[in-house]
Amino acid sequence: MVGSVDRNRCVLLTGPMGAGKSRVGRELAAALGFSFVDTDAEVERAARMKISEIFAREGEAGFRKRERAVLEALPARDCVVALGGGAVAAPANLELLDEKGVLVWLDASPETLVDRIGDASSRPLLAGLDRSARIAKLAALRDARASAYGTARIRIDTDARSVGEICATIRAALADGARA
């Protein structure tokens, strides 16, 4: 279970698209008896349109504004949250998230991310790019966000690991307060 300092605080999963935040988040929430929130899904629900449509109509700035509203509304207890890949890029968001819970960075190689994502047509930052260009774009995004991702108390490499293994690693790290 979660360590005494962090008991019942939200577990906030960050990392690039394709790292497994949503899949791991659902399983981890079930294991902890917490609710699950996917911030991208919440943005879509509130906007009544897909993220790709938000980007097309409002640009990334419009999406980030909507994302911030979702982050502000997050509970601070008893939930696992799958954050959008760029949610931690804004320093103000990092401050807010620090108040909400424990940040966990799920990381993977750009090649693994591309394999997991598959058809990137629904991913505005990758749409229209071939495989090598998607790998390059994901590597650049990871590099640009590395310092923000690096603020996470726990970092887990998800390459070649099952969802169950990742959840067990997160639970163990939370229980003893150590880095994974």
Side-chain angles (χ1 to χ4, degrees):
M1 196 57 160
V2 178
S4 61
V5 172
D6 299 317
R7 188 172 310 281
N8 298 338
R9 287 193 78 207
C10 286
V11 179
L12 308 162
L13 304 177
T14 190
M17 63 183 94
K21 299 179 300 285
S22 295
R23 288 185 65 207
V24 169
R26 282 184 197 93
E27 189 166 316
L28 183 62
L32 294 173
F34 286 3
S35 62
F36 173 71
V37 178
D38 183 313
T39 60
D40 283 348
E42 290 300 308
V43 168
E44 288 182 339
R45 186 189 58 71
R48 294 189 181 125
M49 62 180 127
K50 296 286 185 189
I51 290 172
S52 57
E53 294 175 71
I54 297 169
F55 268 75
R57 292 181 185 184
E58 302 173 12
E60 186 171 359
F63 170 76
R64 296 294 173 204
K65 182 178 177 184
R66 291 175 179 275
E67 180 179 60
R68 173 66 187 201
V70 167
L71 297 178
E72 289 172 347
L74 288 173
R77 302 182 64 73
D78 301 324
C79 70
V80 175
V81 180
L83 298 166
V88 298
N93 286 353
L94 276 175
E95 290 176 28
L96 174 65
L97 294 169
D98 188 52
E99 296 169 10
K100 300 283 184 174
V102 178
L103 194 61
V104 177
W105 174 16
L106 301 184
D107 197 13
S109 71
E111 293 80 7
T112 296
L113 299 172
V114 167
D115 290 344
R116 288 179 182 163
I117 292 167
D119 174 28
S121 61
S122 66
R123 308 281 186 152
L125 297 177
L126 301 178
L129 301 176
D130 66 14
R131 178 179 169 74
S132 62
R134 287 194 310 264
I135 289 170
K137 178 69 173 183
L138 287 168
L141 283 171
R142 185 192 182 282
D143 290 346
R145 297 170 177 167
S147 64
Y149 290 152
T151 65
R153 194 177 86 205
I154 301 164
R155 178 187 173 271
I156 299 173
D157 183 343
T158 66
D159 282 320
R161 294 178 84 180
S162 71
V163 171
E165 289 171 327
I166 296 163
C167 288
T169 302
I170 293 170
R171 290 182 71 191
L174 291 171
D176 69 17
R179 288 176 113 37

